[in-house]
Amino acid sequence: MATHKLLLLAGDGIGPEIMAEMKRVLAWMEKAGVASFAIEEDLVGGSAYDAHGVAITDAAMDRAKAADAVFLAAVGGPKWAAVPYEVRPEAGLLRLRKDLGLFANLRPAICYPALADASSLKRDVVEGLDILIVRELTGGVYFGEPKTITDLGNGQKRAIDTQLYETYEIDRIARVAFELARTRRNLVTSSEKHNVMRSGVLWKEVVTQVHDADYADVKLEHNLADSLAMQLVRWPKQFDVIVTDNLFGDILSDIAAMLTGSLGMLPSASLGEADANGKRSAMYEPVHGSAPDIAGKGIANPIAMIGSLAMAMRYSFNQGDVADRIEKAISGVLDAGKRTADIKTEGCDVISTKAMGDALIAQLEAQG
Ligand code: IPM
Ligand code: MG
């Protein structure tokens, strides 16, 4: 059995607590003979800043590059609100994305039937929801230059962020979306703001070209980002794969997360270009943040973290059957009425982070 090389970056806030539960699932998988792992751990975000004065060290970056998959739990928190911008916790996450070339961010939003009542939307709107947001992750306003604040000397300052996309960046993310749509319901909705942004005009043009040239069998729709935000809360089941840029993808994926009941449920995969052997650099992380308000209390939901492990089994290690088993364990636990506080519903057992880990492992055991 191939040994998968993992780098675990627990980060800040609830990060270490949810990563601890994922590690228990890794240990279970080893014991059950399902997979074999070589595990390294390092610091990222505020914890790296406290130890080394940077959001991630060069040594940790080297380990990330050498790994088959990186797992990042969460970064940031009020403790680091005043640290210099270049070394703020989020800079570690952004460096990982950029330097590993992780341009394709897959954010599935699946509403487990047992959780339909945990959503702020009506049950019939969200029950059975299964959509996939494909977010461009290494371009756009997150990385475009110039990115500055200039003192104009008259009591005024000028802040500039640059939204920038080139053809190849749009082309490759569109291909990821079309390929994935073919494995699902064969519909791609592309989203931008071509009515006010030049980058939106190019985005729409390139996505259409890629579609017409190579993916005419997939249905393509275009939806302005503001309208898409509205449609996501009106009737989200009309969508299958949504492809959009870095900033709109950030916003739309938080909306999509809430449809599923809790941000604590959503895993994500960030993938790079495949090399000659078909191997991609990859990082897996929950969509949620470090939740400093509940950190250290043992009540965080580890499901998004463990769901990210399922995504790794599917996208990095070609073990879709194991991914299915983990996802089945997640729905089994929910069906059994076990909930962390963020997804509690009427009449359910509210359990701790660790008890949720126990329950997931018990479900995996029970599957045999
Ligand atoms: C996300 C997060 C990050 C982002 C932050 C932590 C920089 O919100 O992964 O969605 O904006 O991309
Ligand atoms: Mg976000």
Side-chain angles (χ1 to χ4, degrees):
M1 194 188 312
T3 297
H4 308 315
K5 256 181 98 171
L6 311 183
L7 176 65
L8 312 187
L9 301 168
D12 311 321
I14 59 169
E17 296 163 57
I18 59 173
M19 185 62 87
E21 297 315 308
M22 194 193 89
K23 279 167 72 176
R24 292 174 62 214
V25 177
L26 289 172
W28 179 86
M29 289 164 79
E30 288 254 8
K31 201 184 85 197
V34 170
S36 156
F37 301 104
I39 297 171
E40 293 191 8
E41 297 189 56
D42 215 314
L43 301 173
V44 67
S47 57
Y49 177 79
D50 289 345
H52 305 295
V54 289
I56 188 161
T57 61
D58 292 342
M61 282 305 305
D62 289 342
R63 297 168 101 179
K65 284 175 191 154
D68 297 323
V70 178
F71 287 87
L72 185 146
V75 293
K79 183 177 173 199
W80 302 283
V83 307
Y85 188 77
E86 305 71 50
V87 292
R88 72 198 189 287
E90 292 76 10
L93 171 61
L94 297 179
R95 183 174 175 197
L96 282 158
R97 290 175 179 173
K98 190 69 175 175
D99 289 6
L100 297 176
L102 306 173
F103 71 91
N105 182 214
L106 317 186
R107 297 190 161 185
I110 293 170
C111 182
Y112 293 94
L115 281 192
D117 290 324
S119 172
S120 53
L121 275 80
K122 295 197 188 84
R123 172 176 273 276
D124 69 311
V125 175
V126 295
E127 189 173 16
L129 179 76
D130 177 4
I131 61 177
L132 176 64
I133 297 189
V134 177
R135 169 187 176 192
E136 199 291 326
L137 202 61
T138 51
V141 77
Y142 275 64
F143 297 99
E145 296 286 349
K147 195 175 189 61
T148 52
I149 298 181
T150 313
D151 199 327
L152 300 179
N154 57 354
Q156 298 287 307
K157 291 180 182 175
R158 176 183 295 139
I160 302 178
D161 290 291
T162 305
Q163 164 80 348
L164 187 159
Y165 273 106
E166 295 186 14
T167 304
Y168 78 95
E169 297 175 282
I170 306 169
D171 184 290
R172 65 184 180 182
I173 194 74
R175 286 177 195 283
V176 170
F178 289 126
E179 290 289 340
L180 288 164
R182 277 181 177 161
T183 69
R184 299 168 48 95
R185 296 188 302 279
N186 220 34
L187 168 65
V188 170
T189 305
S190 171
S191 191
E192 29 60 22
K193 282 281 290 176
H194 69 264
N195 52 349
V196 283
M197 296 166 79
R198 290 294 193 178
S199 57
V201 172
L202 184 66
W203 184 279
K204 186 174 181 196
E205 189 180 299
V206 175
V207 172
T208 305
Q209 275 166 7
V210 170
H211 171 262
D212 295 354
D214 294 324
Y215 297 94
D217 56 301
V218 180
K219 183 155 192 253
L220 171 64
E221 291 177 346
H222 301 277
N223 206 328
L224 293 169
D226 54 341
S227 154
L228 180 60
M230 181 272 288
Q231 290 294 341
L232 268 176
V233 289
R234 191 185 74 84
W235 191 244
K237 288 188 242 180
Q238 68 185 287
F239 300 111
D240 178 19
V241 176
I242 293 168
V243 63
T244 190
D245 78 8
N246 205 343
L247 183 60
F248 293 137
D250 181 44
I251 297 166
L252 295 171
S253 62
D254 266 28
I255 298 179
M258 209 45 226
L259 304 175
T260 70
S262 164
L263 204 49
M265 295 297 298
L266 253 74
S268 82
S270 303
L271 307 174
E273 210 94 62
D275 68 13
N277 306 319
K279 188 175 173 298
R280 297 170 179 272
S281 50
M283 180 161 80
Y284 297 87
E285 45 172 327
V287 171
H288 64 70
S290 60
D293 52 322
I294 60 162
K297 295 188 177 161
I299 61 172
N301 185 351
I303 290 181
M305 187 78 245
I306 291 166
S308 299
L309 172 59
M311 289 191 87
M313 298 315 294
R314 181 173 293 126
Y315 292 108
S316 283
F317 304 134
N318 210 7
Q319 288 187 270
D321 54 322
V322 179
D324 291 345
R325 285 174 71 176
I326 297 172
E327 285 162 0
K328 206 170 140 228
I330 293 172
S331 57
V333 165
L334 298 173
D335 287 343
K338 298 203 190 302
R339 304 279 192 276
T340 43
D342 57 308
I343 49 173
K344 70 165 181 264
T345 44
E346 203 63 27
C348 284
D349 267 358
V350 177
I351 61 175
S352 67
T353 309
K354 176 150 188 312
M356 182 56 92
D358 290 337
L360 285 165
I361 289 168
Q363 284 280 335
L364 286 164
E365 294 272 0
Q367 289 170 14

